[in-house]
Amino acid sequence: MYRFLLTPRWWGINVFVLLAIPFCVFMGSWQLGRFESRVEDHRSAGEQAAENKQEAARPLAELLPVDKATVGRQVTAAGRYGEQLLVPDRELDGKPGYYVLTLLHTDDGKALPVVRGWLPGAPGRAEAPAAPRGEVTVTGALQASEVPGENGVPSQGGLPTGQTAAISAASLVNLVSYDVYDAWVTLNKGDSGMKPVPVAAANDTGLDLKAFQNLGYTGEWFVFAGFVVFMWFRLLRREVESVRDAELGLAPEGEADGVEGQQQERANA
């Protein structure tokens, strides 16, 4: 009764099933591994953040370029404050407000973006405290350049003069005429009475939308594997029922002709 499995048509079906199931399982396992990796990165980032608060600050040059291992580390830099910019649409403790960003001109000729603190309400240059004059030394957490549209960073353009949507060298290079570090620092203590800005986690280390997309794709691939098996058994059962009906003379005329053709094909095989 099951000799039809040896026909060319069923050879094609069986080969497809034998290839599709391992592929779906492999892809599902890979997506699950990606999710588990993001969970582990999230846990490690939390532990690293706690350790970073206890460590001594190191010179800026020792921690560049910024990566997952150095983001959030305590850093110190010296120089003179220059141009000041406001970063709108930044929440803190559930309240709307903005960052006060001041560029610190260092001895090597580059400027380091320093977030001196957060203020509530709409951005106002008059309300933002002026930066200290003269030579200063800052200490804070090292942060990677922001990417507009990711991790809650606004991506809108057309901001008023003196404002920037993202804290990144790519954005600031269009606003100033000197080189800027591809990194920034948030002070441990807010300057001039402002609230300090919390340290942000490194990119791709949080349980964000991408992580749960990986988990969703995991389920989809395993569902696809189950669907392939289900369809194979359904086709098999349908074929067996057709053969039994033909043997009992119960198949409709059109189907009987088709079954006879299949029987002849199996005989030839």
Side-chain angles (χ1 to χ4, degrees):
M1 180 178 295
Y2 293 96
R3 290 190 62 187
F4 61 82
L5 293 173
L6 300 177
T7 61
R9 172 171 171 266
W10 272 93
W11 267 108
I13 293 175
N14 293 335
V15 170
F16 171 79
V17 171
L18 290 175
L19 293 177
I21 293 176
F23 177 76
C24 291
V25 172
F26 170 77
M27 291 301 298
S29 301
W30 181 75
Q31 290 289 351
L32 181 60
R34 292 280 295 171
F35 173 74
E36 292 175 342
S37 177
R38 290 180 183 275
V39 172
E40 179 62 23
D41 286 345
H42 178 69
R43 184 187 64 80
S44 300
E47 295 176 353
Q48 185 65 42
E51 295 177 1
N52 290 340
K53 293 180 180 179
Q54 306 300 325
E55 71 173 6
R58 296 169 59 184
L60 176 64
E62 296 182 8
L63 299 177
L64 294 178
V66 185
D67 54 23
K68 289 183 179 181
T70 60
V71 69
R73 302 285 292 272
Q74 291 293 300
V75 66
T76 181
R80 292 176 176 270
Y81 279 125
E83 188 168 358
Q84 185 159 284
L85 302 168
L86 306 181
V87 188
D89 299 325
R90 299 303 177 102
E91 289 189 359
L92 185 61
D93 298 330
K95 298 179 181 179
Y98 59 97
Y99 295 167
V100 177
L101 172 69
T102 311
L103 296 171
L104 180 71
H105 295 272
T106 61
D107 294 337
D108 59 9
K110 285 188 176 181
L112 175 66
V114 177
V115 173
R116 296 171 46 234
W118 175 90
L119 290 174
R125 303 190 71 174
E127 291 79 8
R133 295 181 177 275
E135 189 78 13
V136 297
T137 299
V138 300
T139 302
L142 185 65
Q143 299 279 258
S145 288
E146 296 179 333
V147 179
E150 294 187 6
N151 298 327
V153 178
S155 58
Q156 77 272 23
L159 293 175
T161 302
Q163 295 187 20
T164 179
I167 308 174
S168 68
S171 298
L172 295 174
V173 72
N174 298 316
L175 302 176
V176 297
S177 58
Y178 38 83
D179 292 335
V180 179
Y181 280 107
D182 190 21
W184 57 283
V185 170
T186 173
L187 297 184
N188 295 331
K189 296 181 180 180
D191 193 3
S192 303
M194 294 183 288
K195 288 187 177 182
V197 173
V199 179
N203 293 333
D204 297 327
T205 58
L207 295 180
D208 52 10
L209 179 60
K210 291 182 179 179
F212 290 102
Q213 281 179 339
N214 291 135
L215 188 60
Y217 294 150
T218 299
E220 287 182 3
W221 281 112
F222 286 124
V223 168
F224 290 158
F227 180 75
V228 171
V229 175
F230 168 76
M231 290 302 299
W232 185 86
F233 275 108
R234 184 174 180 180
L235 291 173
L236 177 66
R237 186 178 66 176
R238 182 177 179 182
E239 192 80 14
V240 170
E241 290 175 350
S242 297
V243 172
R244 287 176 178 174
D245 290 346
E247 291 177 348
L248 296 174
L250 300 177
E253 182 177 352
E255 293 185 8
D257 294 339
V259 171
E260 290 178 1
Q262 293 176 9
Q263 292 176 341
Q264 183 62 39
E265 184 179 0
R266 290 196 296 270
N268 294 334

